[in-house]
Amino acid sequence: MRLRVEFTTEPFDLDEAPAHAVVAREVIQTADLDAVDVGPFGNTVEGGADEVLTAVDSLLRKALDSGATRVSLQVNVIGEDTP
């Protein structure tokens, strides 16, 4: 199974990336994922279910530990076998 996750961390700071956003970006960029798109207001990752779920677990723990007050996630099953 393949997954696509879209996520954001808050609170936002338009002047400088907050620590939780930097940590989240580092977790995702160093994970074993097939596709990563990091943007200022949202991020998207794709990969196998195990790899994505492992990265999301780490992302949540580290972003919250670094000051995030909210992490919004959307998880979608993707691929040819999607019903």
Side-chain angles (χ1 to χ4, degrees):
M1 178 185 328
R2 290 186 48 78
L3 300 177
R4 175 183 297 130
V5 174
E6 298 174 42
F7 72 92
T8 58
T9 62
E10 296 179 41
F12 294 116
D13 183 340
L14 297 178
D15 295 327
E16 182 177 334
H20 59 80
V22 172
V23 166
R25 194 170 29 232
E26 288 172 356
V27 167
I28 292 305
Q29 290 177 327
T30 60
D32 186 24
L33 301 170
D34 299 333
V36 175
D37 182 21
V38 176
F41 299 107
N43 309 282
T44 305
V45 300
E46 293 182 12
D50 288 339
E51 292 80 13
V52 170
L53 294 174
T54 297
V56 167
D57 176 65
S58 182
L59 163 88
L60 290 170
R61 292 175 189 277
K62 291 181 179 183
L64 293 170
D65 284 346
S66 296
T69 57
R70 179 188 305 215
V71 179
S72 300
L73 289 169
Q74 180 174 321
V75 180
N76 294 298
V77 177
I78 59 172
E80 295 177 16
D81 57 348
T82 303

